[in-house]
Amino acid sequence: KAALKDDTGRLFAYVYDSYLIKPYDWAQALGSRDERKQWKMLGLWVEAGHGQDIVQAGFDGAYTYFAANGFVYGSTQSNWQHMTEYMHQHDKVISISIGPGYSDRKIRPWNDQNWKPRENGDYFRRAFSAAMAANPDYLSITSWNEWHEGTQLEDVMPAEQANENVKRLGGDSGLGTFQPWLDYEGQKPSFYRDLFRQLLREG
């Protein structure tokens, strides 16, 4: 099976909501790096104090997750440089996550303040540039297929076709009313996959 490995062959484990367990308890569970030779364990950095907790817990490093710039400390692009430096000062790695936008209105209609329009790829371009400027060890994507939060990069069916298919099948969003499908604003279905490849080539 395919797996993400570092240059020494260690498998990555991105631990979601790691901050819900106290650093002392994590330290007991994780043991030393020598005791988990096969794994590189990354804790989730959400709020400002989580960086210190991740170090104290004995994680190999940290990662960010949320795609909405400014939503939390860890997803705020202006913090990424400091976060990277902090991890490196403590001999840890960091993986910065970027996304093409954010829209969870279908499941959280009250959350408009965190809506981030895609801007035909410009939001993703800015996030990529900010992450690269911070010089993290790894770059991760939020997300490949989290449609409910509007962060997906996978190929998308044109909205007109998708909406007709859903209506024909009598489906809805699960909220009791039909929710329009969001495509890539007139761009081709593989737009974000192609854009990410382009950005990686350009560095």
Side-chain angles (χ1 to χ4, degrees):
K1 294 181 179 180
L4 180 61
K5 299 181 179 180
D6 68 8
D7 53 8
T8 67
R10 296 170 70 196
L11 296 166
F12 282 83
Y14 285 62
V15 183
Y16 192 72
D17 281 357
S18 54
Y19 51 84
L20 296 178
I21 297 176
K22 295 183 182 301
Y24 173 82
D25 293 328
W26 270 122
Q28 299 300 307
L30 291 172
S32 69
R33 288 185 182 182
D34 291 338
E35 292 173 320
R36 56 175 192 276
K37 293 179 180 178
Q38 185 180 1
W39 295 97
K40 177 166 281 188
M41 307 289 291
L42 304 185
L44 177 57
W45 192 339
V46 176
E47 302 300 343
H50 290 165
Q52 182 178 357
D53 291 344
I54 287 168
V55 170
Q56 292 177 347
F59 281 100
D60 296 296
Y63 76 100
T64 69
Y65 174 75
F66 299 105
N69 183 26
F71 172 47
V72 293
Y73 180 88
S75 71
T76 301
Q77 296 170 8
S78 59
N79 294 330
W80 290 349
Q81 180 72 48
H82 168 72
M83 294 167 67
T84 299
E85 292 172 355
Y86 183 84
M87 284 291 112
H88 290 171
Q89 288 168 4
H90 292 86
D91 193 28
K92 307 289 184 182
V93 300
I94 188 168
S95 178
I96 297 293
S97 297
I98 63 172
Y102 189 86
S103 177
D104 63 355
R105 291 168 166 174
K106 292 183 180 180
I107 58 172
R108 304 182 188 98
W110 61 87
N111 196 31
D112 265 0
Q113 70 270 20
N114 289 311
W115 174 63
K116 303 296 180 184
R118 292 181 175 237
E119 304 174 55
N120 283 305
D122 284 345
Y123 183 89
F124 190 63
R125 292 184 183 94
R126 291 195 301 271
F128 181 87
S129 295
M132 295 299 286
N135 196 31
D137 302 277
Y138 306 100
L139 184 67
S140 45
I141 298 296
T142 304
S143 67
W144 175 247
N145 61 358
E146 288 198 79
W147 290 85
H148 61 291
E149 292 185 343
T151 60
Q152 78 285 346
L153 266 72
E154 69 174 337
D155 293 8
V156 63
M157 184 184 297
E160 182 178 357
Q161 179 183 349
N163 291 335
E164 287 304 314
N165 288 347
V166 173
K167 289 179 179 178
R168 178 173 52 82
L169 295 171
D172 60 36
S173 67
L175 300 178
T177 56
F178 174 72
Q179 298 289 313
W181 180 281
L182 299 176
D183 63 11
Y184 293 155
E185 302 167 314
Q187 303 288 354
K188 64 180 182 178
S190 63
F191 174 72
Y192 281 97
R193 189 160 48 86
D194 297 339
L195 175 58
F196 188 41
R197 286 174 174 161
Q198 176 190 336
L199 292 171
L200 289 173
R201 285 195 301 267
E202 295 174 352

